[in-house]
Amino acid sequence: MARLTPEEVKAFLIDTLQVSGAAYREVDNTLLLAEVTVEIPPLFFDPPRLEKQTLNLVFTPEASANYPGAELVIPGSYRLNWFIDGLQERGNYTLQHFKFTGAAAKSEKALAALRPELKKALPLSSPAEEARPFLLVNYTLSFQTDELQEELVSLGLDMVSGTITPDFFRCLGEAEALPGAPETGVATPSYTLEAAFALLHQYLEELVQARDPRWVNEARVRYEEELTCLYQYYQEDQRDFGDFHSRALDLYDKFRPRVLVRPVNVGLLYLPVLVYQLPKEGRKEKTVLRYLPFLDKLETSGEFESPTIAKARARKQ
Amino acid sequence: MGSILTTPGEFAPQLEFFTKPEEIIKGIHRQEWDSWAAFRLRLRAAEISLFTGFDDELLIYPHLRERWRQCGLIPYPHQEATVKRVIGELRGRALLADEVGLGKTIEAGMIIKEYCLRGFAKKILILTPASLCRQWAAELSQKFALYPVLAKADFDWGRYDLVISSLDLAKQEKHRKVIEGLYYDLLVVDEAHKLKNPSTKNWQLVSRIRKKFFLLLTATPLQNDLKELFNLISLLRPGQLGSYRSFRQHFMVDKRTAKNQEELRSLLGRVMIRNKRGPQIKLPRRRVATMPLSLSGEETEFYRQVTGFVKEEYRKGERAAVNRLTLITLQREICSSSFAAATTLFQLSQKASVAEAEKIVTLMELAGEVKENTKMNLVEEILRQTGEEKVIIFTEFLATQRYIHARLKRKGILSLTFDGSMSASKKDFTLGRFRRDPAHRVLICTESGGEGVNLQFCRTMINYDLPWNPMRLEQRIGRIHRLGQTREVYVYNLISRGTIEEHLLNLLLEKVRLFEMVIGDLQRIVNYFAREKSFEARVMGALVAAENERELSRNLERLGDELLSRLARKEEWGVDDLIMAPDDSDRRPQGGGPEDQAEDMGRAPAATADQIR
């Protein structure tokens, strides 16, 4: 379990209480009172009975001493896990769109950073804004041998280009999400959901292959040590080979590396794309620049020639 | 990385997708969208729950802190160290061989819970003797918030993830087949000393169960035979000690003598953990009082006559009409109560020839003349002086148990009986009642009933009769003198003057200083006597060879000398010799015994209940 400070635990609980609509009160910096609804197991009541309970929660052992009877909520505690378990039913799917709220100058600065040759063309005319669909899937990857290591992977698949952006959720930062899809200017996706998931799975396969192989190699060494030990027991006494074989298989099952992939939640998100059109130059077609501010990414369609290159070409002619 | 045992392909990581894309897509099509805040929080929850590798911190501590505070459980440092070592260094496969009363079950519970919290174990099977199933279930639910199912039907095995069963049930054909078809993340076997013989169904069942992690629990991993130890360790990790042939060649002089002990110790240390009482693991003081009493005229005569009969038959050797084991039992019974002896005498009379039967009937008539047992008068006196305190009375014999129960009832003292013939639920009910009902302040317990039972809520014990095997005496005391006991423990040994009991106690108490010993030394005594004859048989031999009390005293004195010299020479090994390094002095058995372990108040020949309080 991740290491959390008492403040982080408290913030998580308050967020959870807010999302679930439960009443709560911060008595002081250390004590939190929360009124929650608890389900009495169907084992006793069918259907399960719901009951209101008031929880007195503290977050440090010192506070626990000041408030006898209050429940200490720390990483790994029953109560924190209770809140986490309660969230299993929430936030599994979401549909949101985002707006670009920055100033024109800001986006132009970013464009210039991405493509320095654009600097001469600045300032650009006002961009059009379109919304591009992304499929965001957050996964837990459990790397299992006889040991376990878990990671969270957040992948965003551009449903138009098929490009996958790792650590996608972090790209969104604290931006304001607006519920639902935008009403206009939505780019048409080129990928179906089935195809999108196939791409994501392929990406995950590659991600695992590219991982530092020590976790596999070390498990293999341990497995071979066990297998050798097992063999010593059976070889001299010529015991039942079938027995040896089945035990060896069990060992293999214990040590073989596998990666269990669990989706945490899925979002259909529409991210803003700023579409700049550069004027036609000579025989060149109009150049269209598509800037994705949340991903800080630039796409070009048509041919764009930097002014320096254009001047050089004119001189030559 | 090259290897002859595995190919890279065999160890290529395989991705297993927990949810199929179709199911996720279905979820999307349902359009049950949640808010962005809920979405972010869900991700945050997943992030918090991530398992980021084995570190030094156990998850059970924060998880169960509140529960343990409520139920008053404070794990001891040796228990925490054991859990960390099993999960870390030993990788979930260990023989937990702590001495009696040091909390093996708590350690196992902590390991089970830790594995559950880490997501390593879901399907778990616990095999115990039938009498301990409910105790295990209660411990796991109360102290670890784990809610096991006690297996009954054959579909229980597959249906439930956490199952407790007796070995006897699990090895039944219809259950065994189902169990062998399953794969367990964790298998725990309590009282694992019953798994020392690979030709038994118990051993074969446990060996065949497919499991990832595996715990064996026993306080006596090694008793008489190194082969038994080999079998136990091979069950845990086949090959740890090589094949039996190589083990015999390399580590055995004979079946009871080891060689290359350093190497063997090192191999055992990789799978076995044994915590012992000592300066680091202290229990409250133990006060032991010998309560000598004089038998009535009828009792003395009955004792004298029965002992004469036993000696006479014993000396006949193979020509005797009664086998030696029965004679030893009869001699032990006569020290317990006339009622216990009368039961055996009656059974003997049914099988005896006419001449023999006449003798036996005469003895039975003498038994009939004993109307009251003097020991009970002392029991009543102790009970009077101990006030409201809960008291456990131990006896070896059912007939004595019934007599004590009846006598107490007559006195208006409510008592409960507890013995091996009771069903698990009745045992559970009886213990619960004894614990909670202030009206029932006495539990009369037989040896078999008391095995493995935790009674540390009680601190007073009366040994109505004295088991001849010193380990048994220690095991009795271990029921109340164990981790979790917070008060001084009082043990009263009732001894009839002029009987073998008195001489035996003198031997154990005065000469061998039994109550100051640690269990490792006791085990060595038992091991030593297992070479030739049992300790009981040697005591009996001393009795039979003696014409009078003086001779008996001298014979037992010699037996004591023999014992002490063997102990001093450390020729007799015990499990501790094999798993503890010679310089591990603070953990090794200490002849003098730590002061807090025992305080013998029985050396004054006429200790009374008043002196004890």
Side-chain angles (χ1 to χ4, degrees), chain B residues 86-131:
Chain B
V86 170
I87 287 177
E89 186 190 336
L90 304 188
R91 297 187 171 272
R93 188 176 36 197
L95 174 59
L96 303 182
D98 291 3
E99 281 183 353
V100 175
L102 295 191
K104 286 185 288 296
T105 314
I106 297 291
E107 287 167 2
M110 288 169 78
I111 292 166
I112 296 169
K113 186 71 181 185
E114 186 70 23
Y115 272 133
C116 288
L117 289 175
R118 290 178 184 223
F120 264 47
K122 188 160 181 273
K123 192 138 188 76
I124 300 165
L125 176 62
I126 298 165
L127 296 173
T128 83
S131 59

Side-chain angles (χ1 to χ4, degrees), chain B residues 327-340:
Chain B
L327 290 171
I328 295 177
T329 306
L330 184 57
Q331 188 62 41
R332 283 167 44 223
E333 282 171 339
I334 189 72
C335 295
S336 176
S337 73
S338 54
F339 302 94

Side-chain angles (χ1 to χ4, degrees), chain A residues 1 12-13 16 20 37 39 73 76-92 264, chain B residues 38 41-50 63 113 116-117 145:
Chain A
M1 178 165 273
F12 174 73
L13 255 59
T16 310
S20 60
T37 306
E39 190 181 276
V73 189
S77 65
Y78 165 78
R79 189 55 69 189
L80 181 59
N81 286 358
W82 184 80
F83 275 95
I84 290 171
D85 287 346
L87 278 170
Q88 296 285 333
E89 301 300 315
R90 297 295 310 270
N92 289 324
V264 177
Chain B
L41 205 56
R42 176 81 180 81
L43 187 61
R44 177 78 176 131
E47 194 177 25
I48 291 172
S49 313
L50 282 185
H63 190 84
K113 186 71 181 185
C116 288
L117 289 175

Side-chain angles (χ1 to χ4, degrees), chain A residues 1 75-76 90-94 146-150 216 220 224 226 229 236 247 250 252 259 261 265, chain B residues 3 6 10-11 14 16 18 34 39 42 48 50-52 62-63 91 93 120 207 210 237-239 243:
Chain A
M1 178 165 273
R90 297 295 310 270
N92 289 324
Y93 296 96
T94 196
D146 56 326
E147 293 185 346
L148 175 69
Q149 182 79 31
E150 289 184 329
V216 176
R220 190 175 169 190
E224 291 180 351
E226 289 298 312
C229 183
E236 286 178 28
R247 277 171 180 269
D250 284 349
Y252 177 64
V259 184
V261 184
N265 52 11
Chain B
S3 166
T6 49
E10 281 176 317
F11 257 71
Q14 301 292 318
E16 295 172 17
F18 196 74
D34 209 337
F39 185 84
R42 176 81 180 81
I48 291 172
L50 282 185
F51 181 74
T52 51
H63 190 84
R91 297 187 171 272
R93 188 176 36 197
F120 264 47
S207 169
R210 301 174 64 222
R237 191 181 189 227
S243 65

Side-chain angles (χ1 to χ4, degrees), chain B residues 115-282:
Chain B
Y115 272 133
C116 288
L117 289 175
R118 290 178 184 223
F120 264 47
K122 188 160 181 273
K123 192 138 188 76
I124 300 165
L125 176 62
I126 298 165
L127 296 173
T128 83
S131 59
L132 299 182
C133 284
R134 280 164 188 270
Q135 186 170 294
W136 262 91
E139 293 261 310
L140 290 182
S141 60
Q142 286 161 14
K143 293 173 180 159
F144 299 100
L146 292 166
Y147 302 98
V149 166
L150 298 179
K152 286 189 182 78
D154 51 358
F155 53 79
D156 288 346
W157 311 104
R159 180 181 290 179
Y160 302 107
D161 283 335
L162 177 54
V163 174
I164 296 178
S165 163
S166 71
L167 256 169
D168 289 337
L169 179 81
K171 74 185 176 196
Q172 286 173 17
E173 192 61 12
K174 65 173 181 174
H175 296 300
R176 186 184 61 78
K177 279 185 182 166
V178 183
I179 295 169
E180 286 181 11
L182 295 168
Y183 185 85
Y184 287 94
D185 297 317
L186 174 58
L187 173 66
V188 180
V189 185
D190 194 11
E191 303 293 344
H193 48 269
K194 292 173 180 166
L195 299 173
K196 287 173 178 171
N197 185 349
S199 61
T200 59
K201 282 186 176 174
N202 283 349
W203 197 95
Q204 285 164 5
L205 169 74
V206 173
S207 169
R208 283 187 188 146
I209 294 175
R210 301 174 64 222
K211 62 260 178 192
K212 184 158 62 169
F213 303 116
F214 187 17
L215 299 178
L216 291 172
L217 278 60
T218 175
T220 50
L222 173 61
Q223 280 181 322
N224 300 324
D225 192 340
L226 280 165
K227 188 178 180 184
E228 292 175 349
L229 181 70
F230 171 84
N231 291 333
L232 200 58
I233 299 294
S234 298
L235 192 60
L236 191 67
R237 191 181 189 227
Q240 175 66 19
L241 301 175
S243 65
Y244 181 57
R245 193 191 305 166
S246 68
F247 176 76
R248 206 174 48 204
Q249 282 168 1
H250 199 61
F251 294 115
M252 286 172 68
V253 176
D254 59 45
K255 70 176 191 172
R256 292 195 178 90
T257 316
K259 61 181 175 181
N260 297 321
Q261 286 198 16
E262 276 301 317
E263 195 182 338
L264 182 55
R265 187 181 294 137
S266 154
L267 287 173
L268 290 173
R270 283 182 223 163
V271 285
M272 177 152 72
I273 297 176
R274 183 163 173 86
N275 294 303
K276 291 162 52 59
R277 295 173 197 191
Q280 287 162 359
I281 306 173
K282 290 186 179 180

Side-chain angles (χ1 to χ4, degrees), chain B residues 557-569:
Chain B
E557 185 91 357
R558 271 201 292 274
L559 185 60
D561 288 338
E562 189 184 336
L563 258 177
L564 289 176
S565 71
R566 290 288 173 170
L567 278 178
R569 279 152 61 188

Side-chain angles (χ1 to χ4, degrees), chain A:
Chain A
M1 178 165 273
R3 290 177 191 277
L4 295 176
T5 63
E7 291 74 26
E8 286 171 324
V9 174
K10 187 178 172 188
F12 174 73
L13 255 59
I14 289 176
D15 285 349
T16 310
L17 291 165
Q18 282 174 350
V19 161
S20 60
Y24 69 93
R25 188 162 69 89
E26 289 182 78
V27 177
D28 55 30
N29 277 340
T30 55
L31 180 66
L32 177 71
L33 296 187
E35 196 177 70
V36 296
T37 306
V38 178
E39 190 181 276
I40 307 297
L43 187 67
F44 304 113
F45 302 100
D46 192 18
R49 202 180 77 190
L50 298 177
E51 204 173 70
K52 287 246 184 242
Q53 275 183 10
T54 303
L55 304 177
N56 297 349
L57 308 169
V58 290
F59 305 92
T60 60
E62 298 75 41
S64 190
N66 291 339
Y67 292 101
E71 220 173 321
L72 180 61
V73 189
I74 49 179
S77 65
Y78 165 78
R79 189 55 69 189
L80 181 59
N81 286 358
W82 184 80
F83 275 95
I84 290 171
D85 287 346
L87 278 170
Q88 296 285 333
E89 301 300 315
R90 297 295 310 270
N92 289 324
Y93 296 96
T94 196
L95 176 70
Q96 307 287 332
H97 68 280
F98 293 79
K99 292 273 183 206
F100 176 68
T101 52
K106 194 181 168 191
S107 62
E108 286 181 357
K109 197 178 168 189
L111 281 178
L114 286 169
R115 296 278 282 272
E117 62 270 28
L118 271 177
K119 275 182 191 163
K120 298 287 177 188
L122 297 179
L124 301 170
S125 54
S126 303
E129 193 173 325
E130 67 181 37
R132 184 176 294 186
F134 280 80
L135 175 67
L136 162 62
V137 188
N138 295 309
Y139 291 102
T140 303
L141 264 54
S142 302
F143 295 86
Q144 292 187 4
T145 55
D146 56 326
E147 293 185 346
L148 175 69
Q149 182 79 31
E150 289 184 329
E151 283 177 11
L152 208 57
V153 174
S154 175
L155 300 180
L157 184 126
D158 184 333
M159 297 291 279
V160 174
S161 69
T163 316
I164 293 171
T165 306
D167 215 6
F168 189 81
F169 186 77
R170 202 176 300 275
C171 297
L172 303 175
E174 294 299 318
E176 188 194 359
L178 303 165
E183 286 173 6
T184 54
V186 176
T188 313
S190 319
Y191 291 85
T192 61
L193 284 171
E194 287 79 3
F197 275 102
L199 284 176
L200 288 173
H201 285 196
Q202 191 190 335
Y203 184 90
L204 288 171
E205 296 266 5
E206 287 164 9
L207 193 74
V208 169
Q209 295 303 326
R211 191 182 163 85
D212 183 343
R214 267 182 300 182
W215 72 287
V216 176
N217 294 338
E218 285 168 8
R220 190 175 169 190
V221 168
R222 292 193 296 272
Y223 166 68
E224 291 180 351
E225 193 183 304
E226 289 298 312
L227 198 62
T228 309
C229 183
L230 186 70
Y231 185 65
Q232 278 175 4
Y233 180 69
Y234 282 93
Q235 62 155 2
E236 286 178 28
D237 292 357
Q238 296 179 335
R239 286 165 204 251
D240 182 16
F241 180 75
D243 204 17
F244 167 73
H245 192 247
S246 101
R247 277 171 180 269
L249 278 179
D250 284 349
L251 277 182
Y252 177 64
D253 207 44
K254 178 177 171 180
F255 287 93
R256 76 182 173 90
R258 60 192 128 180
V259 184
L260 199 60
V261 184
R262 290 189 188 86
V264 177
N265 52 11
V266 177
L268 272 184
L269 308 180
Y270 292 87
L271 300 194
V273 180
L274 304 179
V275 184
Y276 294 93
Q277 297 214 353
L278 298 186
K280 195 175 172 184
E281 273 190 34
R283 282 180 295 164
K284 297 290 168 195
E285 288 296 316
K286 263 199 302 192
T287 303
V288 179
L289 297 176
R290 287 190 160 76
Y291 176 59
L292 290 86
F294 283 92
L295 306 182
D296 197 24
K297 194 175 155 191
L298 183 64
E299 292 170 354
T300 311
S301 66
E303 196 178 323
F304 169 74
E305 204 169 48
S306 79
T308 325
I309 298 170
K311 273 182 191 168
R313 187 166 52 82
R315 250 185 265 124
K316 204 175 174 184
Q317 280 174 349

